[in-house]
């Protein structure tokens, strides 16, 4: 135990800053470079900007002044009818979308590669998931968007479903045919919700995929901090008039809201919106140009494959966000986890995530040409130092699980603890995610399979970060039953 005179978190943050790490992860402002106006104000005013609610700065829980004005400007910028600023991350926005739409026991059609926030939203709302298996890129070992045929089948089999939830895009940049799915769902009276955590910049450049609001979705949860430039944990919930009652949504948002909202987060949302509204095409275009240059240069390195728009197939990869720089490394004898660690420990480059075969670098508003040069040079050096021939990493892609009971019912059911190795065939009493990306390997209420157990063991050997279970070492897990 450290002494009371120590500050472990602050010390770690200062050390990270002093290293001057090159960031290809989130937040998208990349140390303030992508939001220079706000960065300057923060440097000048500092903690004096961290104030409590007062009349001149309005109140997030019942905005009538400057916050209401800022939210209206954001709604206009993102082609929405209403915007709610969120200071509990996009997780809170996702929870609010689901809870304001689905009552306990109502069905919601969901891609199985949805973020853990969706599962937690199901626990809170009591909604029952109808999972749709996403498309699979077997060469890369990753999941894509959902196909139109699979969504149509799910809708036809569940005509009583209340809503359809989509991702736009997936972590690696794939999008579904969102406008057609919206049209079909609306024709059946279903609400369309979109987890647009990584698609804030959609709609600001002609070469970006279509945004949820432009596609006519009823609500979308947008992580402004990921690719829009605001401070971490700041987000927005966008709403279109129509099937959804914005007043009901506001009531649910207030249920999820802290009564002590951070004005630093709110101000960063305001500044990031201004940035995109006034310079969005230029800023996103520059990020796109850098990503394309990096992709071309990386693809000239033997053994590496930086995948992109060539994957578009008009179905489960209907569109592709080229600022998501996914790089398959299985051709050089290293796993994605190993390359991730090398980049961080030897070259001081932080990428967003890794899996068995790939790494993901996110190029956003604050990146520069020198950042791209450093990434390419580091990859060239890794090839020269570590390439040992092709070694395909065995990375299973899990098919749709069997949902035994709803997440909410499972959450409140009696549970007991067993060894992971003995959990095959049992119903999970907790969820387990690889982080990032936060997509459950198994979610609460699902049947645990041998493939899931083997995948967890593989991830542990790769020193991957696993979260969600009571046992941090994942030697034991909770299952349903006494």
């Amino acid at each position: 135990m450290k002494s009371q005179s120590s500050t472990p978190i602050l010390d770690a943050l200062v050390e990270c800053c002093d290293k001057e790490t090159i960031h290809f992860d989130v937040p998208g402002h990349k140390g303030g470079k992508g939001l220079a106006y706000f960065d300057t104000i923060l440097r000048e005013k500092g903690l004096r900007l961290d104030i409590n609610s007062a009349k001149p700065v309005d109140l997030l829980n019942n905005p009538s002044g400057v916050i209401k004005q800022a939210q209206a400007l954001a709604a206009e910028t993102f082609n929405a009818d209403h915007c709610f600023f969120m200071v509990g991350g996009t997780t809170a926005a996702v929870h609010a979308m689901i809870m304001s739409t689905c009552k306990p026991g109502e069905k919601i059609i969901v891609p199985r590669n949805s973020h853990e926030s969706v599962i937690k939203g199901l626990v809170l709302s009591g909604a029952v998931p109808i999972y749709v298996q996403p498309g699979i890129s077997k060469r890369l070992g990753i999941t894509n968007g959902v196909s139109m045929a699979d969504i149509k089948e799910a809708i036809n089999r569940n005509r009583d479903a209340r809503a359809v939830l989509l991702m736009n895009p997936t972590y690696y940049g794939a999008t579904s045919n969102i406008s057609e799915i919206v049209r079909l769902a609306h024709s059946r009276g279903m609400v369309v919700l979109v987890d647009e955590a990584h698609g804030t910049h959609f709609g600001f450049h002609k070469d970006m995929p279509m945004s949820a609001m432009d596609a006519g979705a009823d609500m979308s949860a947008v992580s402004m901090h990921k690719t829009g430039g605001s401070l971490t944990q700041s987000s927005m919930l966008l709403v279109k008039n129509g099937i959804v009652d914005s007043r009901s949504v506001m009531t649910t948002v207030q249920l999820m809201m802290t009564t002590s909202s951070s004005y630093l987060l709110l101000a960063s949302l305001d500044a990031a919106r201004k940035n995109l509204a006034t310079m969005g095409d230029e800023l996103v275009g520059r990020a796109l140009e850098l990503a394309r240059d990096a992709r071309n240069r990386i693809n000239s390195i033997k053994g590496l494959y930086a995948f992109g728009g060539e994957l578009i197939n008009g179905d489960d990869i209907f569109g592709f966000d080229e600022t998501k720089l996914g790089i398959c490394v299985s051709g050089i004898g290293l796993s994605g986890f190993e390359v991730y660690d090398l980049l961080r420990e030897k070259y001081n480059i932080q990428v967003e995530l890794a899996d068995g075969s790939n790494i993901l670098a996110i190029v956003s508003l604050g990146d520069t040409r020198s950042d791209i040069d450093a990434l390419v040079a580091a990859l060239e050096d890794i090839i020269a130092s570590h390439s040992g021939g092709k070694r395909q990493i065995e990375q299973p892609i899990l098919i749709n699980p069997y949902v035994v009971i709803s997440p909410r019912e499972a959450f409140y059911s009696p549970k007991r603890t067993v060894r992971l190795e003995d959990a095959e065939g049992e119903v999970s009493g907790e969820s387990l995610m690889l982080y990032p990306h936060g997509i459950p390997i198994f979610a609460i209420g699902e049947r645990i399979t041998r493939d899931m157990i083997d995948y967890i063991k593989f991830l542990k050997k790769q020193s991957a970060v696993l979260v969600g279970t009571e046992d941090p070492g994942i030697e034991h897990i909770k299952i349903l039953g006494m």
Side-chain angles (χ1 to χ4, degrees):
M1 178 71 72
K2 288 181 174 287
S3 71
Q4 290 297 330
S5 62
S6 65
T7 52
I9 297 174
L10 180 58
D11 293 347
L13 281 173
V14 170
E15 183 179 352
C16 284
C17 291
D18 290 346
K19 283 184 178 179
E20 297 186 354
T21 300
I22 298 172
H23 285 278
F24 286 101
D25 57 349
V26 298
H29 60 71
K30 304 296 177 77
K33 293 181 292 183
L35 200 62
Y37 166 70
F38 189 64
D39 184 43
T40 299
I41 293 175
L42 275 180
R43 291 174 188 273
E44 291 176 353
K45 307 294 184 183
L47 290 180
R48 286 179 292 161
L49 293 172
D50 186 25
I51 64 174
N52 198 9
S53 301
K55 280 188 177 181
V57 291
D58 208 357
L59 182 66
L60 183 60
N61 295 75
N62 186 23
S64 59
V66 293
I67 294 177
K68 184 176 181 179
Q69 294 165 18
Q71 290 183 152
L73 288 169
E76 180 183 18
T77 299
F78 285 87
N79 192 25
D81 293 312
H82 307 276
C83 173
F84 299 97
F85 284 180
M86 310 296 293
V87 294
T90 304
T91 291
V94 169
H95 292 172
M97 282 199 306
I98 296 173
M99 290 183 68
S100 63
T101 302
C102 298
K103 296 182 177 68
E106 290 187 328
K107 296 177 182 176
I108 179 170
I109 296 169
V110 180
R112 185 50 183 85
N113 56 343
S114 294
H115 188 261
E116 64 165 311
S117 60
V118 173
I119 306 300
K120 292 176 179 177
L122 299 177
V123 171
L124 292 170
S125 69
V128 178
I130 304 298
Y131 286 125
V132 176
Q133 176 68 37
I136 295 173
S137 293
K138 292 184 178 178
R139 174 185 176 186
L140 302 172
I142 61 175
T143 55
N144 303 320
V146 289
S147 75
M148 190 68 204
D150 288 341
I151 285 287
K152 187 173 184 178
E153 181 186 3
I155 288 175
N156 287 337
R157 282 191 292 105
N158 299 274
R159 294 179 181 273
D160 57 341
R162 173 62 178 148
V164 177
L165 188 144
L166 302 170
M167 296 171 64
N168 193 50
T170 65
Y171 244 108
Y172 280 107
T175 64
S176 305
N177 188 350
I178 186 169
S179 60
E180 270 303 294
I181 293 172
V182 168
R183 185 196 62 76
L184 175 62
H186 281 174
S187 73
R188 305 295 175 84
M190 297 179 186
V191 178
V192 179
L193 314 176
V194 182
D195 178 354
E196 207 161 34
H198 287 269
T200 301
H201 54 300
F202 290 5
F204 293 97
H205 192 279
K206 63 181 179 61
D207 290 343
M208 284 289 107
M210 183 177 288
S211 73
M213 289 293 99
D214 288 345
D218 299 292
M219 284 190 273
S220 69
V222 179
S223 290
M224 277 288 276
H225 66 95
K226 284 187 169 68
T227 58
S230 65
L231 294 181
T232 297
Q233 201 174 313
S234 60
S235 183
M236 300 188 308
L237 177 57
L238 305 173
V239 182
K240 280 274 194 185
N241 289 331
I243 303 177
V244 171
D245 180 358
S246 63
R247 293 169 299 179
S248 176
V249 175
M250 181 177 68
T251 300
T252 309
V253 166
Q254 289 174 342
L255 183 68
M256 313 303 300
M257 191 75 70
T258 175
T259 56
S260 302
S261 303
S262 167
Y263 282 89
L264 288 172
L265 298 183
L266 295 174
S268 76
L269 283 170
D270 203 18
R273 182 272 313 158
K274 174 189 173 183
N275 221 26
L276 288 172
T278 59
M279 299 184 294
D281 183 74
E282 174 189 345
L283 293 171
V284 176
R286 186 174 63 198
L288 187 58
E289 180 185 346
L290 290 174
R292 286 171 171 170
D293 176 59
R295 188 170 275 108
N296 290 335
R297 292 166 66 183
I298 291 167
N299 280 332
S300 69
I301 303 172
K302 186 177 179 180
L304 297 180
Y305 170 41
F307 47 93
E310 75 282 353
L311 298 179
I312 293 173
N313 57 21
D315 194 15
D316 60 304
I317 310 178
F318 189 79
F320 193 88
D321 175 8
E322 294 180 69
T323 65
K324 305 294 188 295
L325 185 59
I327 306 165
C328 181
V329 301
S330 61
I332 66 172
L334 296 174
S335 73
F337 297 107
E338 289 168 328
V339 174
Y340 175 100
D341 287 340
L342 281 168
L343 286 170
R344 184 187 60 204
E345 294 165 6
K346 185 175 180 181
Y347 305 95
N348 212 25
I349 295 175
Q350 181 66 60
V351 295
E352 175 69 12
L353 62 80
D355 59 40
S357 300
N358 312 283
I359 59 171
L360 174 66
I362 294 180
V363 182
S364 54
L365 310 183
D367 287 305
T368 64
R369 182 73 59 185
S370 62
D371 296 334
I372 298 297
D373 291 343
L375 176 62
V376 173
L379 291 171
E380 289 174 335
D381 193 53
I382 288 173
I383 296 295
S385 305
H386 295 85
S387 183
K390 185 167 184 176
R391 174 166 66 95
Q392 185 64 45
I393 304 298
E394 291 297 327
Q395 177 172 283
I397 297 178
L398 305 176
I399 61 171
N400 271 355
Y402 178 65
V403 180
V404 181
I405 62 176
S406 74
R408 182 183 182 90
E409 187 179 356
F411 184 82
Y412 288 107
S413 295
K415 302 174 184 68
R416 59 189 174 92
T417 301
V418 299
R419 292 175 61 248
L420 174 65
E421 195 62 40
D422 298 330
E424 182 179 357
E426 302 287 353
V427 181
S428 175
E430 53 190 351
S431 300
L432 178 65
M433 286 73 63
L434 170 66
Y435 220 86
H437 39 63
I439 298 170
I441 298 166
F442 57 72
I444 187 169
E446 294 176 355
R447 185 81 66 192
I448 298 170
T449 65
R450 173 51 53 182
D451 283 346
M452 292 176 179
I453 294 170
D454 290 344
Y455 185 38
I456 293 164
K457 290 160 69 175
F458 159 75
L459 292 173
K460 288 175 67 176
K461 286 181 180 177
Q462 295 291 325
S463 299
V465 177
L466 295 167
V467 300
T469 53
E470 189 175 283
D471 175 13
I474 329 294
E475 297 297 328
H476 298 82
I477 61 170
K478 284 190 172 298
I479 61 170
L480 299 193
M482 298 296 291

